[in-house]
mmCIF file with all atom_site columns, all heavy atoms in Angstrom:
data_model
loop_
_atom_site.group_PDB
_atom_site.id
_atom_site.type_symbol
_atom_site.label_atom_id
_atom_site.label_alt_id
_atom_site.label_comp_id
_atom_site.label_asym_id
_atom_site.label_entity_id
_atom_site.label_seq_id
_atom_site.pdbx_PDB_ins_code
_atom_site.Cartn_x
_atom_site.Cartn_y
_atom_site.Cartn_z
_atom_site.occupancy
_atom_site.B_iso_or_equiv
_atom_site.pdbx_formal_charge
_atom_site.auth_seq_id
_atom_site.auth_comp_id
_atom_site.auth_asym_id
_atom_site.auth_atom_id
_atom_site.pdbx_PDB_model_num
ATOM   1   N N   . LEU A 1 221 ? -41.172 -19.128 -46.543 1.00 88.00 ? 248 LEU A N   1
ATOM   2   C CA  . LEU A 1 221 ? -40.498 -19.566 -45.379 1.00 88.00 ? 248 LEU A CA  1
ATOM   3   C C   . LEU A 1 221 ? -39.143 -18.799 -45.125 1.00 88.00 ? 248 LEU A C   1
ATOM   4   O O   . LEU A 1 221 ? -38.593 -18.895 -44.079 1.00 88.00 ? 248 LEU A O   1
ATOM   5   C CB  . LEU A 1 221 ? -40.176 -21.076 -45.418 1.00 88.00 ? 248 LEU A CB  1
ATOM   6   C CG  . LEU A 1 221 ? -41.405 -21.991 -45.540 1.00 88.00 ? 248 LEU A CG  1
ATOM   7   C CD1 . LEU A 1 221 ? -41.040 -23.478 -45.330 1.00 88.00 ? 248 LEU A CD1 1
ATOM   8   C CD2 . LEU A 1 221 ? -42.538 -21.658 -44.513 1.00 88.00 ? 248 LEU A CD2 1
ATOM   9   N N   . HIS A 1 222 ? -38.797 -18.009 -46.078 1.00 88.00 ? 249 HIS A N   1
ATOM   10  C CA  . HIS A 1 222 ? -37.535 -17.235 -45.973 1.00 88.00 ? 249 HIS A CA  1
ATOM   11  C C   . HIS A 1 222 ? -37.856 -15.807 -46.063 1.00 88.00 ? 249 HIS A C   1
ATOM   12  O O   . HIS A 1 222 ? -38.429 -15.125 -45.104 1.00 88.00 ? 249 HIS A O   1
ATOM   13  C CB  . HIS A 1 222 ? -36.589 -17.697 -47.080 1.00 88.00 ? 249 HIS A CB  1
ATOM   14  C CG  . HIS A 1 222 ? -35.141 -17.202 -46.971 1.00 88.00 ? 249 HIS A CG  1
ATOM   15  N ND1 . HIS A 1 222 ? -34.723 -16.547 -45.867 1.00 88.00 ? 249 HIS A ND1 1
ATOM   16  C CD2 . HIS A 1 222 ? -34.111 -17.408 -47.809 1.00 88.00 ? 249 HIS A CD2 1
ATOM   17  C CE1 . HIS A 1 222 ? -33.434 -16.253 -46.077 1.00 88.00 ? 249 HIS A CE1 1
ATOM   18  N NE2 . HIS A 1 222 ? -33.017 -16.745 -47.264 1.00 88.00 ? 249 HIS A NE2 1
ATOM   19  N N   . ARG A 1 255 ? -49.297 -21.300 -40.805 1.00 94.00 ? 282 ARG A N   1
ATOM   20  C CA  . ARG A 1 255 ? -48.290 -20.763 -39.890 1.00 94.00 ? 282 ARG A CA  1
ATOM   21  C C   . ARG A 1 255 ? -48.483 -19.305 -39.672 1.00 94.00 ? 282 ARG A C   1
ATOM   22  O O   . ARG A 1 255 ? -49.057 -18.603 -40.588 1.00 94.00 ? 282 ARG A O   1
ATOM   23  C CB  . ARG A 1 255 ? -46.938 -21.002 -40.501 1.00 94.00 ? 282 ARG A CB  1
ATOM   24  C CG  . ARG A 1 255 ? -46.552 -22.462 -40.564 1.00 94.00 ? 282 ARG A CG  1
ATOM   25  C CD  . ARG A 1 255 ? -45.136 -22.679 -40.995 1.00 94.00 ? 282 ARG A CD  1
ATOM   26  N NE  . ARG A 1 255 ? -44.871 -24.163 -40.953 1.00 94.00 ? 282 ARG A NE  1
ATOM   27  C CZ  . ARG A 1 255 ? -43.647 -24.634 -40.961 1.00 94.00 ? 282 ARG A CZ  1
ATOM   28  N NH1 . ARG A 1 255 ? -42.598 -23.919 -40.958 1.00 94.00 ? 282 ARG A NH1 1
ATOM   29  N NH2 . ARG A 1 255 ? -43.497 -25.980 -40.888 1.00 94.00 ? 282 ARG A NH2 1
ATOM   30  N N   . ILE A 1 256 ? -48.083 -18.764 -38.607 1.00 95.00 ? 283 ILE A N   1
ATOM   31  C CA  . ILE A 1 256 ? -48.230 -17.324 -38.269 1.00 95.00 ? 283 ILE A CA  1
ATOM   32  C C   . ILE A 1 256 ? -46.937 -16.693 -38.810 1.00 95.00 ? 283 ILE A C   1
ATOM   33  O O   . ILE A 1 256 ? -45.810 -16.928 -38.328 1.00 95.00 ? 283 ILE A O   1
ATOM   34  C CB  . ILE A 1 256 ? -48.313 -17.055 -36.763 1.00 95.00 ? 283 ILE A CB  1
ATOM   35  C CG1 . ILE A 1 256 ? -49.448 -17.925 -36.160 1.00 95.00 ? 283 ILE A CG1 1
ATOM   36  C CG2 . ILE A 1 256 ? -48.565 -15.581 -36.529 1.00 95.00 ? 283 ILE A CG2 1
ATOM   37  C CD1 . ILE A 1 256 ? -50.852 -17.673 -36.713 1.00 95.00 ? 283 ILE A CD1 1
ATOM   38  N N   . GLY A 1 258 ? -43.882 -14.238 -39.612 1.00 93.00 ? 285 GLY A N   1
ATOM   39  C CA  . GLY A 1 258 ? -43.195 -13.341 -38.730 1.00 93.00 ? 285 GLY A CA  1
ATOM   40  C C   . GLY A 1 258 ? -42.802 -13.953 -37.429 1.00 93.00 ? 285 GLY A C   1
ATOM   41  O O   . GLY A 1 258 ? -42.235 -13.287 -36.532 1.00 93.00 ? 285 GLY A O   1
ATOM   42  N N   . PHE A 1 259 ? -43.057 -15.232 -37.293 1.00 95.00 ? 286 PHE A N   1
ATOM   43  C CA  . PHE A 1 259 ? -42.652 -15.942 -36.021 1.00 95.00 ? 286 PHE A CA  1
ATOM   44  C C   . PHE A 1 259 ? -42.045 -17.288 -36.343 1.00 95.00 ? 286 PHE A C   1
ATOM   45  O O   . PHE A 1 259 ? -42.321 -17.845 -37.341 1.00 95.00 ? 286 PHE A O   1
ATOM   46  C CB  . PHE A 1 259 ? -43.954 -16.195 -35.124 1.00 95.00 ? 286 PHE A CB  1
ATOM   47  C CG  . PHE A 1 259 ? -44.488 -14.898 -34.609 1.00 95.00 ? 286 PHE A CG  1
ATOM   48  C CD1 . PHE A 1 259 ? -45.430 -14.274 -35.420 1.00 95.00 ? 286 PHE A CD1 1
ATOM   49  C CD2 . PHE A 1 259 ? -44.098 -14.389 -33.446 1.00 95.00 ? 286 PHE A CD2 1
ATOM   50  C CE1 . PHE A 1 259 ? -46.022 -13.046 -35.015 1.00 95.00 ? 286 PHE A CE1 1
ATOM   51  C CE2 . PHE A 1 259 ? -44.691 -13.140 -33.033 1.00 95.00 ? 286 PHE A CE2 1
ATOM   52  C CZ  . PHE A 1 259 ? -45.638 -12.477 -33.810 1.00 95.00 ? 286 PHE A CZ  1
ATOM   53  N N   . GLY A 1 260 ? -41.099 -17.631 -35.451 1.00 94.00 ? 287 GLY A N   1
ATOM   54  C CA  . GLY A 1 260 ? -40.360 -18.867 -35.619 1.00 94.00 ? 287 GLY A CA  1
ATOM   55  C C   . GLY A 1 260 ? -39.132 -18.707 -36.421 1.00 94.00 ? 287 GLY A C   1
ATOM   56  O O   . GLY A 1 260 ? -39.007 -17.726 -37.246 1.00 94.00 ? 287 GLY A O   1
ATOM   57  N N   . ARG A 1 262 ? -35.354 -21.074 -37.675 1.00 89.00 ? 289 ARG A N   1
ATOM   58  C CA  . ARG A 1 262 ? -34.569 -22.317 -37.641 1.00 89.00 ? 289 ARG A CA  1
ATOM   59  C C   . ARG A 1 262 ? -33.478 -22.200 -36.555 1.00 89.00 ? 289 ARG A C   1
ATOM   60  O O   . ARG A 1 262 ? -33.193 -23.132 -35.850 1.00 89.00 ? 289 ARG A O   1
ATOM   61  C CB  . ARG A 1 262 ? -33.976 -22.601 -38.994 1.00 89.00 ? 289 ARG A CB  1
ATOM   62  C CG  . ARG A 1 262 ? -33.014 -23.795 -39.015 1.00 89.00 ? 289 ARG A CG  1
ATOM   63  C CD  . ARG A 1 262 ? -33.676 -25.165 -38.651 1.00 89.00 ? 289 ARG A CD  1
ATOM   64  N NE  . ARG A 1 262 ? -34.698 -25.615 -39.554 1.00 89.00 ? 289 ARG A NE  1
ATOM   65  C CZ  . ARG A 1 262 ? -34.522 -26.299 -40.638 1.00 89.00 ? 289 ARG A CZ  1
ATOM   66  N NH1 . ARG A 1 262 ? -33.316 -26.578 -41.122 1.00 89.00 ? 289 ARG A NH1 1
ATOM   67  N NH2 . ARG A 1 262 ? -35.600 -26.675 -41.350 1.00 89.00 ? 289 ARG A NH2 1
ATOM   68  N N   . LYS A 1 310 ? -47.413 -24.830 -29.569 1.00 95.00 ? 337 LYS A N   1
ATOM   69  C CA  . LYS A 1 310 ? -46.210 -25.672 -29.716 1.00 95.00 ? 337 LYS A CA  1
ATOM   70  C C   . LYS A 1 310 ? -45.410 -25.437 -28.421 1.00 95.00 ? 337 LYS A C   1
ATOM   71  O O   . LYS A 1 310 ? -44.335 -24.751 -28.468 1.00 95.00 ? 337 LYS A O   1
ATOM   72  C CB  . LYS A 1 310 ? -45.338 -25.314 -30.924 1.00 95.00 ? 337 LYS A CB  1
ATOM   73  C CG  . LYS A 1 310 ? -45.952 -25.669 -32.245 1.00 95.00 ? 337 LYS A CG  1
ATOM   74  C CD  . LYS A 1 310 ? -45.535 -26.983 -32.685 1.00 95.00 ? 337 LYS A CD  1
ATOM   75  C CE  . LYS A 1 310 ? -46.450 -27.497 -33.824 1.00 95.00 ? 337 LYS A CE  1
ATOM   76  N NZ  . LYS A 1 310 ? -46.878 -28.876 -33.704 1.00 95.00 ? 337 LYS A NZ  1
ATOM   77  N N   . ARG A 1 313 ? -41.339 -25.166 -28.093 1.00 92.00 ? 340 ARG A N   1
ATOM   78  C CA  . ARG A 1 313 ? -40.668 -24.985 -29.475 1.00 92.00 ? 340 ARG A CA  1
ATOM   79  C C   . ARG A 1 313 ? -39.999 -23.628 -29.589 1.00 92.00 ? 340 ARG A C   1
ATOM   80  O O   . ARG A 1 313 ? -39.269 -23.391 -30.493 1.00 92.00 ? 340 ARG A O   1
ATOM   81  C CB  . ARG A 1 313 ? -41.797 -25.286 -30.579 1.00 92.00 ? 340 ARG A CB  1
ATOM   82  C CG  . ARG A 1 313 ? -41.285 -25.161 -31.971 1.00 92.00 ? 340 ARG A CG  1
ATOM   83  C CD  . ARG A 1 313 ? -40.203 -26.048 -32.359 1.00 92.00 ? 340 ARG A CD  1
ATOM   84  N NE  . ARG A 1 313 ? -39.741 -25.807 -33.734 1.00 92.00 ? 340 ARG A NE  1
ATOM   85  C CZ  . ARG A 1 313 ? -38.916 -24.848 -34.083 1.00 92.00 ? 340 ARG A CZ  1
ATOM   86  N NH1 . ARG A 1 313 ? -38.563 -23.979 -33.180 1.00 92.00 ? 340 ARG A NH1 1
ATOM   87  N NH2 . ARG A 1 313 ? -38.507 -24.723 -35.329 1.00 92.00 ? 340 ARG A NH2 1
ATOM   88  N N   . LEU A 1 315 ? -41.258 -20.532 -30.419 1.00 96.00 ? 342 LEU A N   1
ATOM   89  C CA  . LEU A 1 315 ? -41.527 -19.740 -31.581 1.00 96.00 ? 342 LEU A CA  1
ATOM   90  C C   . LEU A 1 315 ? -41.646 -18.314 -31.268 1.00 96.00 ? 342 LEU A C   1
ATOM   91  O O   . LEU A 1 315 ? -42.676 -17.845 -30.704 1.00 96.00 ? 342 LEU A O   1
ATOM   92  C CB  . LEU A 1 315 ? -42.857 -20.284 -32.244 1.00 96.00 ? 342 LEU A CB  1
ATOM   93  C CG  . LEU A 1 315 ? -42.825 -21.762 -32.700 1.00 96.00 ? 342 LEU A CG  1
ATOM   94  C CD1 . LEU A 1 315 ? -44.152 -22.259 -33.123 1.00 96.00 ? 342 LEU A CD1 1
ATOM   95  C CD2 . LEU A 1 315 ? -41.777 -21.948 -33.827 1.00 96.00 ? 342 LEU A CD2 1
ATOM   96  N N   . ASN A 1 318 ? -39.578 -13.039 -35.471 1.00 92.00 ? 345 ASN A N   1
ATOM   97  C CA  . ASN A 1 318 ? -38.462 -12.947 -36.332 1.00 92.00 ? 345 ASN A CA  1
ATOM   98  C C   . ASN A 1 318 ? -38.390 -11.617 -37.036 1.00 92.00 ? 345 ASN A C   1
ATOM   99  O O   . ASN A 1 318 ? -39.279 -10.792 -36.894 1.00 92.00 ? 345 ASN A O   1
ATOM   100 C CB  . ASN A 1 318 ? -38.337 -14.077 -37.330 1.00 92.00 ? 345 ASN A CB  1
ATOM   101 C CG  . ASN A 1 318 ? -39.493 -14.212 -38.304 1.00 92.00 ? 345 ASN A CG  1
ATOM   102 O OD1 . ASN A 1 318 ? -39.806 -13.175 -38.891 1.00 92.00 ? 345 ASN A OD1 1
ATOM   103 N ND2 . ASN A 1 318 ? -40.080 -15.390 -38.487 1.00 92.00 ? 345 ASN A ND2 1
HETATM 104 N N1  . ACO B 2 .   ? -46.558 -20.593 -36.939 1.00 65.87 ? 21  ACO B N1  1
HETATM 105 C C1  . ACO B 2 .   ? -47.113 -21.829 -36.538 1.00 65.87 ? 21  ACO B C1  1
HETATM 106 N N2  . ACO B 2 .   ? -46.354 -22.964 -36.434 1.00 65.87 ? 21  ACO B N2  1
HETATM 107 C C2  . ACO B 2 .   ? -45.033 -22.809 -36.603 1.00 65.87 ? 21  ACO B C2  1
HETATM 108 C C3  . ACO B 2 .   ? -44.457 -21.630 -36.994 1.00 65.87 ? 21  ACO B C3  1
HETATM 109 C C4  . ACO B 2 .   ? -45.254 -20.515 -37.102 1.00 65.87 ? 21  ACO B C4  1
HETATM 110 N N3  . ACO B 2 .   ? -44.775 -19.322 -37.525 1.00 65.87 ? 21  ACO B N3  1
HETATM 111 N N4  . ACO B 2 .   ? -43.103 -21.860 -37.132 1.00 65.87 ? 21  ACO B N4  1
HETATM 112 C C5  . ACO B 2 .   ? -42.856 -23.132 -36.899 1.00 65.87 ? 21  ACO B C5  1
HETATM 113 N N5  . ACO B 2 .   ? -44.081 -23.728 -36.544 1.00 65.87 ? 21  ACO B N5  1
HETATM 114 C C6  . ACO B 2 .   ? -44.305 -25.099 -36.152 1.00 65.87 ? 21  ACO B C6  1
HETATM 115 C C7  . ACO B 2 .   ? -44.174 -26.033 -37.371 1.00 65.87 ? 21  ACO B C7  1
HETATM 116 O O1  . ACO B 2 .   ? -45.410 -26.183 -38.041 1.00 65.87 ? 21  ACO B O1  1
HETATM 117 C C8  . ACO B 2 .   ? -43.590 -27.275 -36.816 1.00 65.87 ? 21  ACO B C8  1
HETATM 118 O O2  . ACO B 2 .   ? -44.681 -28.016 -36.313 1.00 65.87 ? 21  ACO B O2  1
HETATM 119 P P1  . ACO B 2 .   ? -44.627 -29.648 -36.395 1.00 65.87 ? 21  ACO B P1  1
HETATM 120 O O3  . ACO B 2 .   ? -43.410 -30.061 -35.604 1.00 65.87 ? 21  ACO B O3  1
HETATM 121 O O4  . ACO B 2 .   ? -45.952 -30.055 -35.774 1.00 65.87 ? 21  ACO B O4  1
HETATM 122 O O5  . ACO B 2 .   ? -44.536 -29.979 -37.874 1.00 65.87 ? 21  ACO B O5  1
HETATM 123 C C9  . ACO B 2 .   ? -42.792 -26.859 -35.573 1.00 65.87 ? 21  ACO B C9  1
HETATM 124 O O6  . ACO B 2 .   ? -43.302 -25.519 -35.305 1.00 65.87 ? 21  ACO B O6  1
HETATM 125 C C10 . ACO B 2 .   ? -41.317 -26.680 -35.894 1.00 65.87 ? 21  ACO B C10 1
HETATM 126 O O7  . ACO B 2 .   ? -41.204 -25.968 -37.088 1.00 65.87 ? 21  ACO B O7  1
HETATM 127 P P2  . ACO B 2 .   ? -40.168 -26.215 -38.245 1.00 65.87 ? 21  ACO B P2  1
HETATM 128 O O8  . ACO B 2 .   ? -40.786 -26.102 -39.540 1.00 65.87 ? 21  ACO B O8  1
HETATM 129 O O9  . ACO B 2 .   ? -39.425 -27.550 -37.972 1.00 65.87 ? 21  ACO B O9  1
HETATM 130 O O10 . ACO B 2 .   ? -39.165 -25.123 -38.013 1.00 65.87 ? 21  ACO B O10 1
HETATM 131 P P3  . ACO B 2 .   ? -38.146 -24.647 -39.018 1.00 65.87 ? 21  ACO B P3  1
HETATM 132 O O11 . ACO B 2 .   ? -36.863 -24.413 -38.306 1.00 65.87 ? 21  ACO B O11 1
HETATM 133 O O12 . ACO B 2 .   ? -38.068 -25.444 -40.238 1.00 65.87 ? 21  ACO B O12 1
HETATM 134 O O13 . ACO B 2 .   ? -38.885 -23.321 -39.472 1.00 65.87 ? 21  ACO B O13 1
HETATM 135 C C11 . ACO B 2 .   ? -39.472 -21.256 -40.191 1.00 65.87 ? 21  ACO B C11 1
HETATM 136 C C12 . ACO B 2 .   ? -38.451 -21.990 -39.445 1.00 65.87 ? 21  ACO B C12 1
HETATM 137 C C13 . ACO B 2 .   ? -39.570 -21.723 -41.638 1.00 65.87 ? 21  ACO B C13 1
HETATM 138 C C14 . ACO B 2 .   ? -39.036 -19.780 -40.247 1.00 65.87 ? 21  ACO B C14 1
HETATM 139 C C15 . ACO B 2 .   ? -40.840 -21.305 -39.509 1.00 65.87 ? 21  ACO B C15 1
HETATM 140 O O14 . ACO B 2 .   ? -40.771 -20.891 -38.221 1.00 65.87 ? 21  ACO B O14 1
HETATM 141 C C16 . ACO B 2 .   ? -41.942 -20.595 -40.268 1.00 65.87 ? 21  ACO B C16 1
HETATM 142 O O15 . ACO B 2 .   ? -42.504 -21.164 -41.222 1.00 65.87 ? 21  ACO B O15 1
HETATM 143 N N6  . ACO B 2 .   ? -42.245 -19.270 -39.825 1.00 65.87 ? 21  ACO B N6  1
HETATM 144 C C17 . ACO B 2 .   ? -43.242 -18.505 -40.568 1.00 65.87 ? 21  ACO B C17 1
HETATM 145 C C18 . ACO B 2 .   ? -42.629 -17.911 -41.814 1.00 65.87 ? 21  ACO B C18 1
HETATM 146 C C19 . ACO B 2 .   ? -41.648 -16.789 -41.504 1.00 65.87 ? 21  ACO B C19 1
HETATM 147 O O16 . ACO B 2 .   ? -41.875 -15.986 -40.657 1.00 65.87 ? 21  ACO B O16 1
HETATM 148 N N7  . ACO B 2 .   ? -40.575 -16.790 -42.333 1.00 65.87 ? 21  ACO B N7  1
HETATM 149 C C20 . ACO B 2 .   ? -39.539 -15.826 -42.094 1.00 65.87 ? 21  ACO B C20 1
HETATM 150 C C21 . ACO B 2 .   ? -38.285 -16.433 -41.407 1.00 65.87 ? 21  ACO B C21 1
HETATM 151 S S1  . ACO B 2 .   ? -37.035 -15.241 -41.121 1.00 65.87 ? 21  ACO B S1  1
HETATM 152 C C22 . ACO B 2 .   ? -36.174 -15.208 -42.542 1.00 65.87 ? 21  ACO B C22 1
HETATM 153 O O17 . ACO B 2 .   ? -35.959 -16.136 -43.265 1.00 65.87 ? 21  ACO B O17 1
HETATM 154 C C23 . ACO B 2 .   ? -35.571 -13.934 -42.959 1.00 65.87 ? 21  ACO B C23 1
#
Side-chain angles (χ1 to χ4, degrees):
L248 299 190
H249 190 6
R282 293 186 178 198
I283 309 298
F286 294 88
R289 174 60 64 84
K337 290 269 164 224
R340 178 60 183 77
L342 297 172
N345 66 46

